[in-house]
């Protein structure tokens, strides 16, 4: 099973890498395969070091809540 994590883009560098915030944890992800244009403040679904899909803030919050619930179970 694969799990994608939603994160908020905090910065983007000149090599098309972004720093994202996932519930207080920051990670670097590559933006080379994202399906649409993104910018600082946008939310993206990430897997294996790549941003793969842009999501809205409500969807990101819902997915993070579900992941927290799974970790607590």
């Amino acid at each position: 099973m694969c799990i994608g994590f939603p994160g908020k883009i905090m910065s983007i560098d000149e090599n098309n890498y972004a720093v994202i915030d996932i519930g207080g944890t920051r990670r670097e992800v590559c933006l080379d395969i994202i399906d649409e244009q993104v910018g600082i403040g946008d939310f993206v679904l990430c897997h294996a070091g790549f941003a793969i899909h842009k999501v809205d803030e409500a969807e990101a919050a819902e997915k993070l809540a579900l992941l927290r619930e799974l970790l607590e179970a």
Side-chain angles (χ1 to χ4, degrees):
M1 172 174 62
C2 297
I3 297 177
F5 293 92
K8 182 177 183 178
I9 296 176
M10 306 307 291
S11 65
I12 300 173
D13 71 15
E14 65 278 352
N15 295 316
N16 212 29
Y17 279 83
V19 173
I20 61 167
D21 182 276
I22 305 169
T25 300
R26 293 198 174 191
R27 298 278 186 240
E28 186 177 67
V29 296
C30 182
L31 299 175
D32 286 347
I33 63 170
I34 188 83
D35 59 351
E36 57 187 292
Q37 188 69 25
V38 294
I40 295 171
D42 286 336
F43 288 82
V44 291
L45 191 61
C46 302
H47 174 69
F50 288 89
I52 57 174
H53 184 67
K54 183 177 176 180
V55 294
D56 64 33
E57 186 172 0
E59 185 177 356
E62 180 182 325
K63 291 185 184 313
L64 281 172
L66 177 60
L67 289 169
R68 281 189 200 101
E69 187 178 315
L70 289 171
L71 290 172
E72 292 171 359

